[in-house]
Amino acid sequence: MALSGLDIFKMLPKTNCKDCEFPTCLAFAMQLAAGKIELEKCPHVSEQAKEALAEASQPPILGVEIGTGEKKFKVGEETVMYRHDRTFVNPNAFAVAVNDNDESSKIEKTVKMVNDLKYDRVGQLLEINAVCLKNKSKNRDTFLAAAKKISELTAKPLILVSSDSETLKNAAALYKDKKPLIHAVDSSNIDVMLPVLKETDCPAAIRGKSFDDIAALSGKLRGEGIKKLVIDIGERNFKNDFFNQIILRRAAIDKKDRLFGYPTIVFPDEMTDNIPKEILIASIFVPKYGSIIVLSNAEPQNIFPLLVYRQNIYTDPRKPMAVEQKIYEIGGPDADSPVLITTNFSLTYFIISGEVESSKVPTWLLVMDVEGQSVLTAWAAGKFVPELIANYIKKSGIGEKVNKKEIIIPGYVAQLQGELEDELGGEWKVIVGPREAGEVPKFLKNYVSR
Ligand code: SF4
């Protein structure tokens, strides 16, 4: 079990110096015990206490890295039950299942789809994270041949699933440098797998049908210093496994029980044969609390909604997504191109810039820093108002880039037109643009053909 706030408090200097930005050492200790801050925030902890507190300062759900190189991913390190309590930390991973006894061409096609499927959305790359190879053939050579093929076709991390410990042992030894997730260690093979995990340092999934099974496995491995674990619990029944995920999260976060403080893996692909239902189940595990979610296919129409949903759940609700304040040149504008202005909320920027691009009208897009707020929010907060907009336009240098001093403002703040012209000293004409981004292409085409 993790240390309580009082246990931690006893090991702190108890000077209440506030260097950690908490009013007292006790307040700091409570936050540390809750996994909400890092031990490093107190610069006065003795080396001896640091050692003793190392475990308490780890997040209640340990982080586990799968794979190596650019495509590796980390799951876990979560500290809250609900996203609105603070934020979720490491986005869940999506893996696509491949059976080792599938036709070679089918394996190739699926892996290619996993490699190729990527979307650039609000400046982030959305993609599938891993390939999950299953030993459906029950044959060791078939499995190892498929693992070899897949590892040659993709840099994405592998999840290697077999019920045969010799097969897993071979696979772990062959691919230990790629750090695949070895699935699974259970009560029947733990004595064989324990030395393999020590030797290869590969992360492993522990598989049990009950909480007692999981506690016994994680306790034994933890006692041997093996902590790169992922929990696989349940019977592949959605209702039960859904509740299992919640109970595991509560045990780790609320009860601080280290035996359950690991990321999890869930298999919607084994819960139903109905694809829309599978995707729906997968979407439920995104916020509730599947760390690795295995799917049966990589069809874009199934994956895209999941990737977008994950992106939304795993953005930090405390920090608006923002882009840099600057003049963006879209389509190679020149001195006669139109000038638009908007705010630096990522979604606003990407939607507007996308519409400008699709208009094929070369345009200067001024993006003003309003702490990542949308146009109307920034206006209501007093951050996108005539005086500040005028200051930004003047200092941006856009006046030196264009012949005609006309600036197009978003239609939602049409009321700023007159005051903004005054603030700009009559040097600029302010034009009211459309309210909706979708109307931008038509507006720009009409604007340049006047
Ligand atoms: Fe206590 Fe350390 Fe915080 Fe100072 S910095 S108040 S010693 S916990």
Side-chain angles (χ1 to χ4, degrees):
M1 299 278 279
L3 295 174
S4 71
L6 281 179
D7 293 331
I8 296 170
F9 174 66
K10 285 176 198 158
M11 288 183 254
L12 293 176
K14 300 187 210 60
T15 57
N16 297 333
C17 70
K18 303 186 179 60
D19 286 353
C20 56
E21 294 169 17
F22 285 91
T24 62
C25 293
L26 183 60
F28 176 85
M30 292 302 177
Q31 293 298 308
L32 185 62
K36 293 186 176 169
I37 52 167
E38 306 293 324
L39 180 60
E40 287 67 39
K41 281 212 126 198
C42 170
H44 311 298
V45 185
S46 70
E47 284 308 312
Q48 202 185 358
K50 259 187 203 161
E51 222 168 276
L53 288 171
E55 176 151 316
S57 66
Q58 287 178 335
I61 296 178
L62 294 183
V64 176
E65 235 173 48
I66 319 280
T68 53
E70 257 184 36
K71 297 295 179 191
K72 73 180 175 191
F73 62 86
K74 188 190 253 186
V75 283
E77 291 188 335
E78 303 301 333
T79 58
V80 293
M81 285 298 296
Y82 307 106
R83 175 182 177 266
H84 59 259
D85 285 341
R86 195 178 180 204
T87 180
F88 287 167
V89 181
N90 286 309
N92 69 268
F94 289 112
V96 170
V98 172
N99 295 326
D100 62 349
N101 56 358
D102 282 344
E103 293 284 326
S104 183
S105 57
K106 186 175 176 194
I107 294 178
E108 274 170 33
K109 186 177 167 213
T110 305
V111 176
K112 186 172 182 324
M113 284 177 88
V114 169
N115 285 340
D116 293 349
L117 192 138
K118 47 186 81 137
Y119 302 96
D120 188 345
R121 185 170 183 269
V122 287
Q124 292 180 354
L125 186 66
L126 310 184
E127 56 185 346
I128 296 169
N129 307 87
V131 176
C132 177
L133 176 63
K134 296 184 179 178
N135 188 198
K136 274 279 156 71
S137 68
K138 307 276 183 208
N139 179 294
R140 192 171 309 151
D141 294 337
T142 306
F143 185 78
L144 294 177
K148 182 170 184 290
K149 186 179 188 67
I150 294 169
S151 70
E152 285 167 359
L153 290 171
T154 185
K156 307 248 178 184
L158 300 182
I159 300 169
L160 299 172
V161 181
S162 175
S163 54
D164 176 54
S165 54
E166 278 306 307
T167 302
L168 288 178
K169 210 170 136 181
N170 278 264
L174 281 170
Y175 297 104
K176 65 181 179 190
D177 293 341
K178 291 181 182 272
K179 296 289 172 272
L181 178 67
I182 302 299
H183 185 291
V185 177
D186 60 22
S187 56
S188 72
N189 69 11
I190 187 164
D191 292 326
V192 179
M193 292 306 294
L194 205 152
V196 176
L197 299 182
K198 272 192 172 172
E199 157 77 22
T200 61
D201 197 30
C202 287
I206 47 175
R207 170 93 175 109
K209 293 193 175 167
S210 70
F211 294 97
D212 285 346
D213 289 349
I214 296 295
L217 292 165
S218 71
K220 184 162 181 176
L221 292 168
R222 200 178 175 86
E224 296 287 336
I226 297 171
K227 295 184 186 172
K228 292 181 187 172
L229 300 177
V230 170
I231 295 176
D232 176 4
I233 187 169
E235 306 268 6
R236 310 293 188 247
N237 165 291
F238 168 62
K239 186 178 164 198
N240 293 342
D241 287 3
F242 171 72
F243 286 115
N244 284 339
Q245 295 301 310
I246 294 172
I247 294 165
L248 281 173
R249 178 65 70 106
R250 280 203 187 289
I253 303 281
D254 292 345
K255 307 281 181 205
K256 307 274 180 289
D257 193 330
R258 290 284 184 198
L259 292 178
F260 300 112
Y262 300 98
T264 65
I265 184 167
V266 290
F267 289 83
D269 65 323
E270 295 180 17
M271 293 177 191
T272 176
D273 293 329
N274 178 314
I275 299 288
K277 196 170 166 189
E278 178 194 327
I279 302 307
L280 188 60
I281 289 172
S283 73
I284 293 167
F285 281 126
V286 171
K288 294 281 176 199
Y289 296 104
S291 313
I292 302 173
I293 300 175
V294 182
L295 303 164
S296 66
N297 69 91
E299 296 293 338
Q301 70 274 19
N302 298 324
I303 303 294
F304 180 69
L306 289 173
L307 295 177
V308 172
Y309 185 46
R310 174 181 69 179
Q311 184 184 34
N312 288 330
I313 294 293
Y314 279 88
T315 49
D316 188 338
R318 300 164 305 173
K319 291 186 209 149
M321 293 169 76
V323 293
E324 191 189 345
Q325 166 173 292
K326 67 174 191 179
I327 303 170
Y328 290 81
E329 299 179 17
I330 303 176
D334 60 24
D336 295 315
S337 298
V339 181
L340 295 180
I341 187 164
T342 190
T343 67
N344 75 329
F345 177 41
S346 285
L347 204 54
T348 301
Y349 165 73
F350 283 103
I351 290 173
I352 295 290
S353 60
E355 295 294 349
V356 173
E357 255 177 59
S358 74
S359 76
K360 307 266 187 262
V361 177
T363 298
W364 303 98
L365 178 60
L366 264 69
V367 170
M368 182 173 155
D369 182 3
V370 291
E371 297 170 20
Q373 295 180 342
S374 64
V375 169
L376 274 182
T377 312
W379 168 71
K383 293 182 175 131
F384 196 61
V385 291
E387 186 187 348
L388 299 177
I389 300 172
N391 282 345
Y392 173 52
I393 292 171
K394 285 177 198 163
K395 77 173 185 202
S396 71
I398 187 66
E400 285 84 66
K401 293 179 187 292
V402 290
N403 293 328
K404 194 165 48 176
K405 294 204 169 150
E406 287 188 357
I407 187 142
I408 300 159
I409 60 171
Y412 275 113
V413 286
Q415 70 277 19
L416 306 184
Q417 185 181 27
E419 210 181 321
L420 181 55
E421 281 183 350
D422 292 345
E423 290 288 347
L424 288 163
E427 283 181 35
W428 287 77
K429 185 174 175 193
V430 176
I431 312 264
V432 175
R435 287 166 74 94
E436 301 300 333
E439 295 162 16
V440 165
K442 190 174 163 204
F443 175 88
L444 285 176
K445 282 177 195 154
N446 290 339
Y447 179 83
V448 292
S449 62
R450 288 174 306 168

